[in-house]
Amino acid sequence: MSTTTVSEYLLDRLAQMGVESVFGVPGDFSLQLAEKIIDHKTLDWIGTCNELNAAYAADGYSRVKGVPGCLSTTFGVGELSAINGIAGSFAERVPVIHIVGTPTTRQMKAKPLLHHTLGNGHFEAYSKAAQHFVVASATLSEPSTAGAEIDRVLVDCVTKSRPVYITLPTDLVNAIVPAVPLQTPLDFKDPENDTATEAVVLAEIEKQVSIAQERVVVIVDGCALRHGVANEVKDLLEKTKFPVFAAPMGKSSVDESYERFVGIYNGSPSLPAVKQTIERAALIISIGAIYSDINTGGFSHDLPKTKLIELHTDRTEVFHALYPRVGMKRLLPKLTAKLQTPACTMSIAPYTYPIPQEEHDGITQPWLWPTVGSYFEPGDVIVADTGTSAFGTLDIPLKTGSVYITQTLWGSIGYSVGAALGAALAARQCQMGRTYLFVGDGSLQLTVQELSTIMHLDLKPIIFVLNNSGYTIERFLHGPTRSFNDIVNWKWTKLLDALSDENTVSESYKVTTKTELDRLLSKPQFGEVTTLVEVVVPKFDAPPVLRRYLQ
């Protein structure tokens, strides 16, 4: 029987899943694993400036590449630094694998006064903290069970689309285990639906579609992205021609250049044409819904149960009736085949985001977002930080094959910088378009150092820094003129020079007028290297969708 080591078993499984990069910061309890990653034939080690950004990068990588993101940290100090990023992935339902190098199995039992511990013998404190933010964990302690434990949590990571946690003691890195299980790929298929219940669901949905006739619409949300049903949704839409919307967390789950795409629906802040189409629908088919506050416009979404069908990963709801064990992944193809009604001809308004005509030359947020959006190309990756950037990019129509990334539920400022690292790396591996990063001046100060890793890898993102003198979204919530919403105004156009080495080529610009920004975006060579654009906007200005949200 052929053999391998515990670490090689784990890394080979990652490679089989399509992972090509592992993010992290080396620490003495994880150094041996880092060496194994570097020596692996298909995996790359991506060193980040801190563990929090490694977690953010793994999250962004997963969202673009469609496989779990992976990070490696050391025991205690490293893993705790990453935990905010892991919690965000849990909330946002992103599959991430967190591998933690720990002291030896003997030390984990004897609990000596080791560095990176609390000094009280509570070696298990960190793993207990992690349990709140992962869907499964494996504490590797014996070579005989290591392979099975690794396989178990990796399957849970993919099928449940949430983070998992694996501890690897230093004395098990090179422990010998059988390699035979690696010959059998892991099974990530969704469980079969209950046959009898599924038949009832299909018949009931077909009946309600027939009753509603031309007044059926579809809303696609975040779990459709996370659980890989985009192709099934596309097939349904192409056959039925039902008008389709995306919720904020579902943005880019549907091709926004599709002729039957109506726009982003998030309750009262939605564009008027979007709300009108929803309101006149007789039947709403919701796919992968996540009813969080920002995702629903402060719970202002108008989706009455009496005309709502919900497809989820593990259940289906038709009006007030709940059908457990009927998941959307297996239901959707059968539903598409079942629906025999003629293609829907319900009229919809074209999805556009026109650039407003303003008499002055100063840059405003209502003008900024549709302007930059008009330069997007198919396959681009758009990363927006929490705040005005996330609200501003929400209504920009994206081109075919684009991916949109933000934290709608977790909302951790600074997330976008690390996420852009992972997203841009995944985009390069998938041969996608450019990566755009939109981040406010306040948010950027939290995680700015990861721009150095981005430049070191020559990922060439286009970075728009909104200089509005502090935390503008917080000003709208409370304390518009209070000092806690102010920040130090950095010399933003000097950042790339300060964070790169002498061999790095980058460009930085500061624009204060519409004319300057239009001229810059129209340059033929714009964005060919890592590019930072400082955009000066008024302190108390905000995107229209944010103003509607706060009304």
Side-chain angles (χ1 to χ4, degrees):
M1 182 181 293
S2 62
T3 60
T4 186
T5 65
V6 172
S7 59
E8 289 165 345
Y9 186 100
L10 172 57
L11 298 181
D12 285 347
R13 278 300 195 203
L14 296 181
Q16 289 177 357
M17 297 165 71
V19 177
E20 296 182 58
S21 302
V22 179
F23 304 90
V25 177
D28 54 352
F29 295 124
S30 62
L31 287 175
Q32 292 183 64
L33 179 62
E35 187 174 41
K36 294 288 186 180
I37 294 168
I38 290 174
D39 292 341
H40 194 274
K41 57 184 179 295
T42 63
L43 295 176
D44 287 327
W45 168 263
I46 307 297
T48 57
C49 296
N50 60 53
E51 293 88 356
L52 173 61
N53 285 339
Y56 287 158
D59 183 295
Y61 184 89
S62 176
R63 295 189 194 218
V64 172
K65 197 168 175 67
V67 301
C70 185
L71 71 151
S72 170
T73 68
T74 196
F75 180 66
V77 293
E79 59 181 304
L80 292 182
S81 292
I83 205 165
N84 176 43
I86 298 298
S89 296
F90 186 92
E92 301 268 328
R93 294 159 173 81
V94 179
V96 167
I97 301 160
H98 187 188
I99 306 168
V100 177
T102 73
T104 66
T105 53
R106 181 184 175 191
Q107 290 170 328
M108 293 297 288
K109 291 177 181 178
K111 299 177 174 51
L113 196 61
L114 280 181
H115 63 286
H116 296 344
T117 70
L118 299 171
N120 60 1
H122 292 172
F123 278 38
E124 72 285 354
Y126 318 131
S127 61
K128 285 184 176 179
Q131 300 312 305
H132 297 281
F133 311 111
V134 297
V135 74
S137 62
T139 303
L140 304 185
S141 58
E142 296 287 344
S144 60
T145 59
E149 283 293 276
I150 289 168
D151 289 353
R152 175 181 61 82
V153 297
L154 294 184
V155 169
D156 280 349
C157 180
V158 174
T159 58
K160 298 178 182 178
S161 193
R162 277 190 158 132
V164 295
Y165 174 88
I166 300 173
T167 60
L168 178 57
T170 54
D171 60 328
L172 289 190
V173 170
N174 292 308
I176 301 301
V177 296
V180 171
L182 291 172
Q183 298 174 12
T184 303
L186 298 177
D187 184 5
F188 301 121
K189 295 186 181 69
D190 283 49
E192 294 286 347
N193 289 338
D194 180 81
T195 305
T197 309
E198 184 180 65
V200 173
V201 168
L202 288 169
E204 184 63 21
I205 295 177
E206 184 181 26
K207 172 186 171 183
Q208 296 304 328
V209 169
S210 177
I211 293 172
Q213 297 181 349
E214 292 291 296
R215 298 166 59 203
V216 183
V217 300
V218 174
I219 301 177
V220 188
D221 208 340
C223 280
L225 279 171
R226 306 292 181 259
H227 291 273
V229 298
N231 289 334
E232 289 84 353
V233 171
K234 181 181 178 183
D235 290 342
L236 174 70
L237 297 174
E238 287 180 347
K239 178 181 179 181
T240 63
K241 304 299 181 186
F242 292 150
V244 60
F245 308 77
M249 287 187 76
K251 186 172 175 65
S252 75
S253 60
V254 178
D255 183 352
E256 296 185 5
S257 64
Y258 174 53
E259 61 184 5
R260 302 291 286 169
F261 183 71
V262 186
I264 304 297
Y265 180 70
N266 61 332
S268 61
S270 306
L271 292 170
V274 170
K275 288 193 292 186
Q276 291 167 8
T277 306
I278 284 282
E279 289 167 359
R280 73 174 192 259
L283 184 66
I284 302 167
I285 301 176
S286 169
I287 303 175
I290 301 172
Y291 295 127
S292 67
D293 54 354
I294 294 177
N295 202 37
T296 61
F299 305 115
S300 65
H301 57 308
D302 185 17
L303 306 177
K305 274 285 189 181
T306 52
K307 59 179 182 179
L308 180 63
I309 294 173
E310 297 184 50
L311 310 186
H312 294 281
T313 56
D314 59 352
R315 69 190 188 281
T316 300
E317 299 179 34
V318 181
F319 305 153
H320 292 282
L322 171 63
Y323 299 92
R325 297 176 56 199
V326 180
M328 61 184 176
K329 182 72 173 179
R330 296 191 180 275
L331 178 68
L332 276 166
K334 297 174 184 177
L335 180 60
T336 300
K338 187 84 169 172
L339 293 178
Q340 301 298 323
T341 55
C344 179
T345 59
M346 177 181 176
S347 62
I348 60 172
Y351 181 45
T352 60
Y353 192 14
I355 301 172
Q357 298 300 311
E358 297 178 343
E359 295 181 359
H360 59 87
D361 201 30
I363 298 173
T364 65
Q365 297 223 26
W367 178 90
L368 171 65
W369 300 109
T371 298
V372 295
S374 66
Y375 288 88
F376 293 164
E377 298 290 342
D380 284 345
V381 176
I382 315 301
V383 186
D385 210 284
T386 297
T388 55
S389 294
F391 282 96
T393 52
L394 186 61
D395 284 329
I396 296 176
L398 303 183
K399 303 292 179 62
T400 302
S402 297
V403 175
Y404 177 78
I405 298 174
T406 192
Q407 281 192 334
T408 305
L409 176 54
W410 187 241
S412 181
I413 65 171
Y415 157 81
S416 66
V417 184
L421 163 61
L425 184 60
R428 183 165 69 187
Q429 293 173 0
C430 297
Q431 298 182 330
M432 296 177 64
R434 297 173 296 185
T435 296
Y436 287 86
L437 168 60
F438 296 94
V439 58
D441 48 3
S443 295
L444 182 56
Q445 290 189 353
L446 273 74
T447 50
V448 64
Q449 60 270 60
E450 223 55 57
L451 294 180
S452 65
T453 311
I454 289 172
M455 288 186 286
H456 176 68
L457 296 174
D458 198 28
L459 296 174
K460 300 183 178 70
I462 300 173
I463 305 158
F464 287 89
V465 180
L466 271 69
N467 184 345
N468 48 15
S469 303
Y471 301 119
T472 291
I473 192 167
E474 308 287 3
R475 296 187 195 280
F476 277 85
L477 296 173
H478 186 79
T481 61
R482 302 309 297 264
S483 61
F484 52 72
N485 285 322
D486 298 333
I487 63 169
V488 177
N489 188 28
W490 288 358
K491 297 176 182 178
W492 301 102
T493 56
K494 304 294 185 183
L495 278 180
L496 299 188
D497 287 341
L499 295 172
S500 61
D501 60 33
E502 60 185 15
N503 298 317
T504 299
V505 178
S506 64
E507 295 180 350
S508 296
Y509 305 90
K510 179 176 182 177
V511 294
T512 60
T513 67
K514 296 182 176 72
T515 302
E516 290 173 343
L517 183 56
D518 274 332
R519 186 182 300 123
L520 176 62
L521 296 176
S522 299
K523 287 177 57 177
Q525 295 81 25
F526 177 74
E528 291 185 354
V529 298
T530 299
T531 303
L532 183 147
V533 182
E534 177 189 354
V535 184
V536 179
V537 293
K539 180 187 294 189
F540 298 103
D541 192 20
V545 66
L546 176 58
R547 292 186 180 277
R548 296 195 300 268
Y549 182 88
L550 295 174
Q551 285 178 351

